[in-house]
Amino acid sequence: MKGPLGDAGITLVIAPHPDDEVLGCGGTIARLTNAGQQVHVAIATRGRPPRYSEESADRVRQEAVAAHELLGVARTHFLDQPAAELDRVPHADLNAAFGRLFDEVRPDTIFLPFLGDIHLDHQLIFRSAMVAARPRTWTYPRRLYAYETLSETNWAAPHIEPSFVPNVFIDISETLERKLAAFACYGSQCCAFPNERSPEALRALAMLRGATVHRHAAEAFLLIREMI
């Protein structure tokens, strides 16, 4: 694999909720694992009663495991923070959870949800992961990217919240079908088109991002920091 991804080292993809990792990075994950590189996924939250039933939380976790197996993920980390209630978690506690995760995985490359996403969980996770990724020692993540999530990144208020303006495009022409197959594992999350969380919408976005850089399909990212 050529370019920065060829030197990705250990990659950690952080998903606020199960399926965000596939929506934002599924093709990139498959491309990395195809090249024999190690990819970890951290699912930050779990639905809890009474907002979510235990049955639905268990089901989506099983769906995540199936999707990650298809993509070749080395390990899935479930942090079990409360879904849709992260604003009730002390910020220091969430920071500490990501600190422990980073100490365990020691990632070289990180993919994060975008700060400007409309879902508050995404915003809080971005901030806490950035705290954990601070370059305070000799070992820290060398490369950080923010990914886009359909129905989250594009639903925020334009020009009021930060806008997602990608400056990195990863060619997923050869892994788009695996991304779509991984998303199909999330039967509880897949919706019928024209809902944005549908296979057709995912394909359309990949084709649009690909055409931006004259490729058949791509995923788009915002480079946050890179140490060379």
Side-chain angles (χ1 to χ4, degrees):
M1 182 181 294
K2 298 180 180 179
L5 284 182
D7 189 34
I10 297 175
T11 296
L12 174 62
V13 178
I14 297 175
H17 315 99
D19 84 352
D20 290 329
E21 75 288 358
V22 174
L23 293 172
C25 307
T28 298
I29 293 172
R31 184 174 165 187
L32 286 165
T33 60
N34 280 355
Q37 302 203 51
Q38 186 180 147
V39 178
H40 293 244
V41 173
I43 306 294
T45 66
R46 174 183 172 89
R48 297 180 181 178
R51 189 179 301 277
Y52 303 97
S53 70
E54 289 290 352
E55 291 78 11
S56 65
D58 287 341
R59 177 184 175 184
V60 75
R61 177 165 293 194
Q62 293 168 2
E63 292 170 346
V65 170
H68 297 174
E69 182 177 357
L70 190 154
L71 292 174
V73 171
R75 183 179 171 189
T76 303
H77 305 259
F78 294 100
L79 304 189
D80 290 336
Q81 298 294 322
E85 294 182 352
L86 284 184
D87 56 323
R88 301 183 182 183
V89 176
H91 189 55
D93 291 352
L94 192 57
N95 294 351
F98 280 103
R100 291 189 295 270
L101 173 68
F102 284 24
D103 286 344
E104 179 180 0
V105 177
R106 299 177 71 87
D108 301 293
T109 300
I110 294 181
F111 290 89
L112 298 165
F114 180 57
L115 174 63
D117 287 359
I118 196 170
H119 202 309
L120 185 57
D121 282 359
H122 290 224
Q123 299 171 26
L124 295 172
I125 286 167
F126 174 91
R127 292 190 181 280
S128 287
M130 289 297 294
V131 169
R134 287 176 295 179
R136 299 184 299 166
T137 65
W138 289 108
T139 58
Y140 58 87
R142 295 181 288 112
R143 189 177 295 114
L144 288 82
Y145 300 101
Y147 60 83
E148 61 180 334
T149 308
L150 275 172
S151 80
E152 302 290 358
T153 307
N154 56 311
W155 281 4
H159 310 298
I160 298 174
E161 300 286 357
S163 296
F164 184 79
V165 182
N167 53 13
V168 174
F169 296 81
I170 296 177
D171 186 350
I172 63 165
S173 302
E174 297 182 1
T175 56
L176 174 58
E177 297 308 320
R178 276 179 67 194
K179 171 181 176 136
L180 296 176
F183 183 59
C185 291
Y186 281 108
S188 66
Q189 307 301 309
C190 284
C191 299
F193 187 78
N195 189 291
E196 287 188 302
R197 295 201 174 210
S198 62
E200 294 89 344
L202 279 184
R203 183 184 297 277
L205 178 61
M207 292 174 65
L208 171 63
R209 293 307 192 189
T212 302
V213 289
H214 199 75
R215 294 294 185 271
H216 293 291
E219 288 172 335
F221 303 93
L222 180 64
L223 177 63
I224 300 168
R225 184 176 71 226
E226 184 175 42
M227 192 279 287
I228 298 175

